[in-house]
Amino acid sequence: MQSGRSWAGAIPLLRRLLARLRVAFPRARFRIRLDGGFASPEVFAFLEAEGVEYVVAMASNVRLVKRSRRLLGRARMLSKASGQTEHLYGETRYAARKWPRKRRVIIKAEVVRHPGRDPKNNPRFVVTNLADAPEAVYAIYCGRGDMENRLKELHQGLALDRTSCHRFLANQFRVLLSLAAYILFQSLQAQARGTACAGAQVSTLRERLLKLAAWIERSVRRIVVHLPATGGWLPTWQQIARRLAAAPA
């Protein structure tokens, strides 16, 4: 996020969104994950006043790094012994200068190791009101990054940002088409588990499974699509097709 008051526009949006969600889901608990650009006293005060669960990243500073030193030292010993990247989790109670009180801060003490390079300390910090174990809280926060990957899929694989029409409704319809296509791709991704395309994102699935040369035969009663008899991804294509209830000819 950008520096300054990048968080300011989030509070009105969250206020309206939470009001609508509470009407639709009156018994639900709401959890909000935010990156470090939103770690401001105003945002924390709003989230606590709303009574929601939150997990918010926080930029490193001298005081937090000092509190993470002992945990980083242990992680460094583990990394030296294993020769791999290692990380440990802990917590502290911390209050920035503008905070009215201390809040729970999760510490991820990570030592990153790459071949041919010196090991590097990589401490990370997350502010939360959750009571879960530190490692569990950090795993919850990491889910935010996965959501960003899904947005990247929509932009890069399905052209969500292609809104060049002159009318708002036309652009809105194009966005809805991209979202509908993504739902279909989610079904395809689910059926790709255990295949050579397991974990593949939208753009990869398009390249491997959909961009195929075909011969189309039309008659009065039917349209037949003849697909290639060979290909690098043909076994995967056939396996997924059968899972989707396609019957071989």
Side-chain angles (χ1 to χ4, degrees):
M1 297 299 299
Q2 298 176 351
S3 59
R5 292 173 57 88
S6 58
W7 50 265
I11 292 177
L13 290 173
L14 285 172
R15 182 178 288 113
R16 293 195 296 271
L17 179 61
L18 287 169
R20 294 192 177 189
L21 288 173
R22 282 173 173 143
V23 172
F25 307 99
R27 297 183 181 179
R29 289 188 304 169
F30 297 99
R31 178 178 297 167
I32 294 177
R33 297 178 296 207
L34 300 170
D35 70 15
F38 296 93
S40 71
E42 293 82 358
V43 170
F44 287 124
F46 167 77
L47 296 174
E48 289 162 357
E50 288 288 326
V52 298
E53 299 176 350
Y54 63 80
V55 187
V56 183
M58 184 168 182
S60 176
N61 61 46
V62 174
R63 290 174 62 192
L64 287 174
V65 169
K66 185 176 180 180
R67 297 189 188 190
S68 68
R69 282 178 183 171
R70 182 175 297 179
L71 203 60
L72 276 169
R74 290 170 53 198
R76 202 172 185 88
M77 291 175 62
L78 288 173
S79 179
K80 184 178 180 180
S82 68
Q84 305 292 326
T85 296
E86 298 286 354
H87 44 260
L88 296 172
Y89 298 89
E91 63 180 279
T92 187
R93 302 290 297 181
Y94 170 81
R97 291 181 180 179
K98 295 183 179 180
W99 294 7
R101 60 180 180 81
K102 293 182 178 181
R103 294 183 170 94
R104 187 188 187 203
V105 177
I106 302 302
I107 302 170
K108 179 186 179 183
E110 182 178 56
V111 176
V112 180
R113 188 178 291 269
H114 295 290
R117 301 183 188 177
D118 293 332
K120 179 182 178 181
N121 291 345
N122 184 37
R124 298 297 178 115
F125 307 96
V126 171
V127 187
T128 186
N129 60 352
L130 296 176
D132 303 68
E135 185 172 358
V137 173
Y138 201 86
I140 291 170
Y141 172 74
C142 288
R144 183 196 63 82
D146 187 62
M147 291 300 102
E148 288 191 357
N149 289 335
R150 306 289 76 75
L151 291 174
K152 288 178 182 178
E153 279 193 287
L154 282 164
H155 280 278
Q156 299 173 4
L158 295 167
L160 181 70
D161 56 345
R162 189 173 295 172
T163 51
S164 56
C165 296
H166 297 293
R167 297 179 59 195
F168 175 81
L169 288 178
N171 287 323
Q172 185 181 43
F173 182 66
R174 295 180 75 166
V175 170
L176 289 174
L177 288 177
S178 294
L179 295 175
Y182 186 60
I183 291 173
L184 295 176
F185 269 103
Q186 283 183 311
S187 298
L188 193 60
Q189 287 170 328
Q191 299 302 327
R193 293 171 185 168
T195 72
C197 289
Q201 295 190 2
V202 166
S203 56
T204 303
L205 291 173
R206 289 179 62 187
E207 292 291 336
R208 294 180 179 179
L209 303 179
L210 300 186
K211 290 187 176 182
L212 301 174
W215 166 41
I216 300 177
E217 181 182 11
R218 300 177 59 182
S219 66
V220 176
R221 297 183 178 180
R222 63 179 182 173
I223 299 176
V224 180
V225 180
H226 298 271
L227 296 174
T230 60
W233 302 101
L234 183 61
T236 299
W237 193 95
Q238 291 173 331
Q239 187 174 350
I240 295 174
R242 293 190 185 99
R243 288 180 179 177
L244 291 169

